[in-house]
Amino acid sequence: MIEPDIIKDAEIEVLLKDIADVYDYDFTQYSKASLKRRLNRICIIDKFTSFAELRYRLINDASYLQRFIEEITVNVTEMFRDPLFYKALRTDILPSLGTYPFIRIWIAGCSTGEEAYSIAILLKEIGLYNQALIYATDINPGVLEKAAKGIFAAGPMRQYAENYILSGGSKDLSVYYISQYDHVRFHSDLKSKIIFSTHNLVSDASFNEFQLILCRNVLIYFDKDLQNRVFKLFDDSLQPLGYLALGAKETIRFSHLEHKYRQWNGEKIWKKISWES
Amino acid sequence: MAANKQTEILLIGGSAGSISVLLKMLPDLRRDLSFPVVIVLHRKAGNESGLELLLNTHSNLPIMEAYDKINIRPGTVYLAPADYHLLFEDKEQIGLDFSEKVNYSRPSIDVAFQSAARVFKANTAALLLSGANNDGLKGMECIAQYGGMLLLQDPATAEVAFMPKQVLFRMNVQQILQPENMARFMNQLNGN
Ligand SMILES: C[S@@+](CC[C@H](N)C(=O)[O-])C[C@H]1O[C@@H](n2cnc3c(N)ncnc32)[C@H](O)[C@@H]1O
């Protein structure tokens, strides 16, 4: 789309301030480049012809806020994305957690749940599912509703099945779901140990202690200051010797956590090795 | 073109058939290039470091794959990572985005070029190489709207001429370049 930008940079600041004032959502420290694309997109989809129109609607119609959040957050996700990452979880990281009587895992920014179901499958296959609990959270209640249903489009399943094999899986991914027309429904025992809940990384506090936190492809939407604040939240929520896993192009290098964590074998997984604050 | 224009970023976009062009151009770029170079190529997700390594062995300048919020520097070549869109937060910083594919592509050349145009405005220079896909066209149009510089691989030299030909049909480019002349042209964009 080369429609001239509907919203100018200065107007974005104004809009985000408004939203933070009127509602409990603070997007002022989101990465501007992505946010700008999403704002232009929502103006086109919802046919706002000016910034003023979008602003008026947002301030005066609380029911529009949810749609706004759904559209400006990016919820693209996949099962077993980056198969080698999942392989590391399967062969090393998760088994090392097996000595804990109770394994708590937090998937922050889980979107529609593909990651959570992937982790559940790994835990089943290495025999740790029954002693584990997965907290899968997101800012967007809409995606969590979908995640809790466990119903996904059939189209990408072939790709997911390939990823699953590359991650060290030895079954056919289809043993975990039943196909129904153009979608598949994952067996409900896979989600018996997953708790889906809203949690806003910007404003909500730590709510438990975990041995493993996954937050992949969420921090790319935050500026550096906010990233550091969220790293602190993760640090406060991780047990000593726990693991923090990030997306393929994200890093804790150059962050305040750098010296307290050790990277695991070149993967985007870091182990908490120091717990003085 | 206006004399006060000064190239602040060089973008290179390409898909099928463009790697051999890069291997021709990269060795002859001057080391003191006064702007960063950002390359957006269509490629398969997965085997990322292979390309970085290949280009590095044929380059006079350091080449690295961009990661999230990396600070970009003059005289360095950045490669868009597979499976992410590349955006510019400002003139110094790249951001990555895992949103929907555009033109069946992620990274999309259009997305990166449009983002650059909004940040660098008339000081953007963009070179579109060989390719079989429409991705890149809208990005070039956007750069033209902001008064940036459009450069194009000579379709006659392109392994797949579709992409450069589409550009030629629709817009006026400043320069049509053969692979062996590209580095020389880029070098004289230098502000030093
Ligand atoms: C691109 S998806 C990543 C999904 C998955 N983790 C993956 O890597 O495939 C980004 C997710 O982050 C969520 N998100 C954005 N801002 C958030 C916030 N402040 N708190 C929690 N989640 C957030 C979005 O709603 C979206 O579902």
Side-chain angles (χ1 to χ4, degrees):
Chain A
M1 271 160 267
I2 52 155
E3 289 80 9
D5 291 348
I6 295 175
I7 304 188
K8 310 263 177 308
D9 288 356
E11 295 174 333
I12 293 182
E13 309 287 329
V14 172
L15 187 75
L16 299 181
K17 287 239 161 59
D18 285 345
I19 296 172
D21 289 344
V22 180
Y23 305 104
D24 275 341
Y25 287 97
D26 185 352
F27 296 105
T28 54
Q29 290 192 283
Y30 275 50
S31 305
K32 292 294 170 296
S34 163
L35 203 56
K36 200 163 179 196
R37 286 186 73 220
R38 303 309 277 188
L39 286 169
N40 272 305
R41 183 170 176 270
I42 197 171
C43 285
I44 291 162
I45 299 177
D46 287 353
K47 305 200 166 58
F48 294 114
T49 50
S50 69
F51 162 73
E53 209 181 327
L54 170 64
R55 184 179 177 205
Y56 183 84
R57 178 76 183 269
L58 259 172
I59 296 176
N60 293 289
D61 179 359
S63 71
Y64 187 70
L65 180 73
Q66 165 133 5
R67 164 153 183 89
F68 180 80
I69 291 171
E70 278 172 21
E71 288 303 320
I72 62 162
T73 54
V74 171
N75 49 44
V76 174
T77 185
E78 287 169 19
M79 288 189 82
F80 296 102
R81 173 164 199 229
D82 308 318
L84 294 183
F85 166 78
Y86 280 94
K87 190 169 206 163
L89 291 185
R90 177 195 291 273
T91 57
D92 293 281
I93 307 296
L94 292 173
S96 80
L97 302 179
T99 51
Y100 293 98
F102 201 61
I103 306 169
R104 278 186 306 270
I105 299 171
W106 178 16
I107 304 178
C110 67
S111 189
T112 40
E114 281 82 340
E115 241 173 0
Y117 285 90
S118 306
I119 300 284
I121 289 171
L122 293 187
L123 287 166
K124 281 222 171 225
E125 296 189 352
I126 58 176
L128 292 177
Y129 190 67
N130 288 329
Q131 72 197 75
L133 200 53
I134 301 170
Y135 295 76
T137 64
D138 202 281
I139 189 179
N140 175 356
V143 289
L144 292 169
E145 232 169 83
K146 285 191 189 145
K149 288 202 177 102
I151 298 174
F152 299 117
M157 280 299 149
R158 225 185 40 200
Q159 174 72 50
Y160 297 170
E162 278 173 28
N163 289 355
Y164 161 79
I165 296 292
L166 288 173
S167 80
S170 52
K171 301 183 179 168
D172 194 319
L173 188 59
S174 64
V175 301
Y176 292 106
Y177 59 76
I178 48 170
S179 296
Q180 301 167 316
Y181 307 104
D182 57 351
H183 58 265
V184 308
R185 180 195 294 271
F186 276 81
H187 298 315
S188 55
D189 59 323
L190 271 184
K191 62 185 176 199
S192 62
K193 296 301 198 86
I194 310 178
I195 299 171
F196 292 104
S197 165
T198 53
H199 180 280
N200 185 346
L201 290 168
V202 178
S203 50
D204 291 337
S206 171
F207 58 96
N208 212 327
E209 264 212 336
F210 302 91
Q211 287 100 16
L212 170 62
I213 298 176
L214 284 88
C215 183
R216 304 175 72 220
N217 304 306
V218 181
L219 295 169
I220 48 176
Y221 298 103
F222 300 167
D223 73 15
K224 284 219 151 188
D225 280 349
L226 181 55
Q227 287 184 357
N228 264 315
R229 264 176 47 212
V230 176
F231 281 139
K232 169 92 169 60
L233 171 68
F234 291 153
D235 192 39
D236 292 342
S237 312
L238 258 188
Q239 280 193 0
L241 304 178
Y243 295 95
L244 174 63
L246 303 179
K249 302 300 160 197
E250 295 162 332
T251 180
I252 69 166
R253 279 190 71 200
F254 320 117
S255 82
H256 301 333
L257 291 197
E258 181 168 12
H259 59 287
K260 300 172 74 176
Y261 284 72
R262 184 179 303 136
Q263 190 166 11
W264 192 87
N265 260 355
E267 286 296 329
K268 290 293 157 52
I269 303 173
W270 284 267
K271 184 172 193 166
K272 182 173 179 174
I273 51 165
S274 157
W275 38 95
E276 297 99 59
S277 36
Chain B
M1 285 287 119
N4 59 356
K5 230 164 78 168
Q6 178 60 62
T7 301
E8 291 182 327
I9 185 88
L10 170 63
L11 308 164
I12 302 176
S15 66
S18 53
I19 292 183
S20 59
V21 182
L22 291 172
L23 297 183
K24 257 219 173 87
M25 173 179 77
L26 290 172
D28 294 326
L29 287 178
R30 57 193 282 180
R31 290 195 133 264
D32 62 346
L33 215 56
S34 58
F35 44 82
V37 181
V38 172
I39 301 179
V40 183
L41 290 183
H42 294 156
R43 52 186 172 136
K44 264 199 126 80
N47 50 349
E48 14 225 289
S49 48
L51 182 60
E52 191 184 342
L53 195 68
L54 171 67
L55 296 182
N56 249 316
T57 55
H58 288 264
S59 172
N60 201 21
L61 300 175
I63 298 194
M64 57 188 297
E65 195 178 79
Y67 53 83
D68 182 50
K69 304 293 182 305
I70 187 178
N71 281 324
I72 53 175
R73 296 205 184 86
T76 305
V77 181
Y78 301 89
L79 202 56
D83 221 17
Y84 288 84
H85 290 306
L86 182 144
L87 304 172
F88 293 86
E89 294 300 323
D90 52 43
K91 288 186 177 178
E92 271 98 47
Q93 202 180 59
I94 282 176
L96 300 178
D97 180 15
F98 184 47
S99 57
E100 297 79 2
K101 291 185 179 180
V102 172
N103 307 318
Y104 310 101
S105 310
R106 192 174 52 220
S108 147
I109 300 170
D110 279 346
V111 169
F113 280 22
Q114 287 166 347
S115 176
R118 287 178 187 131
V119 169
F120 296 95
K121 312 249 159 52
N123 298 330
T124 316
L127 168 67
L128 199 63
L129 304 176
S130 162
N133 171 310
N134 259 330
D135 187 34
L137 263 190
K138 286 182 176 155
M140 293 289 266
E141 272 166 14
C142 184
I143 290 169
Q145 279 184 346
Y146 279 95
M149 182 186 292
L150 304 186
L151 309 169
L152 193 66
Q153 177 177 4
D154 182 349
T157 69
E159 210 171 288
V160 184
F162 179 83
M163 193 141 88
K165 269 191 177 159
Q166 291 294 309
V167 174
L168 266 190
F169 276 134
R170 290 176 206 213
M171 46 198 125
N172 296 322
V173 301
Q174 269 79 12
Q175 208 46 251
I176 298 172
L177 295 163
Q178 287 86 39
E180 54 275 19
N181 299 328
M182 286 176 183
R184 198 182 328 133
F185 186 87
M186 304 310 169
N187 287 340
Q188 52 89 32
L189 295 175
N190 231 24
N192 290 350

